[in-house]
Amino acid sequence: MKTPVGARAQALGESYAAVGGDADALFWNPAGLAEVRGRELTASHNVLLEGAHASAAAWAFPVGRGTAAFGVLVQAESAVDAYDVFGGPAG
């Protein structure tokens, strides 16, 4: 499943790899983390079709001459009903 992370990236039509400077760069182009100038915390939640959802969170902060970042991406789906060729439940 290809699920975009972050509202700004979604608004740019998922062409976010060339943009940097915030914690969402962790999911799109980690080299963009070099432009982070302060502490950044980001979180997003997408409700998808058939009861599926995707959530992401990232934290980035400057450390010395670099940037440290931590992130998590969680995708979950609900059970999907299956049917056989005759329309009966298949489990």
Side-chain angles (χ1 to χ4, degrees):
M1 204 186 299
K2 184 179 176 186
T3 306
V5 174
R8 185 175 177 199
Q10 291 179 30
L12 290 171
E14 299 181 32
S15 60
Y16 197 68
V19 179
D22 64 3
D24 282 332
L26 178 65
F27 300 107
W28 294 92
N29 181 8
L33 291 170
E35 297 178 21
V36 172
R37 300 291 176 235
R39 295 181 189 145
E40 296 236 354
L41 176 65
T42 183
S44 65
H45 179 75
N46 293 316
V47 177
L48 308 170
L49 297 175
E50 296 291 328
H53 68 271
S55 300
W59 181 41
F61 54 95
V63 175
R65 296 180 67 190
T67 303
F70 302 95
V72 62
L73 175 63
V74 178
Q75 294 184 346
E77 300 177 16
S78 61
V80 177
D81 296 329
Y83 297 94
D84 61 17
V85 294
F86 301 108

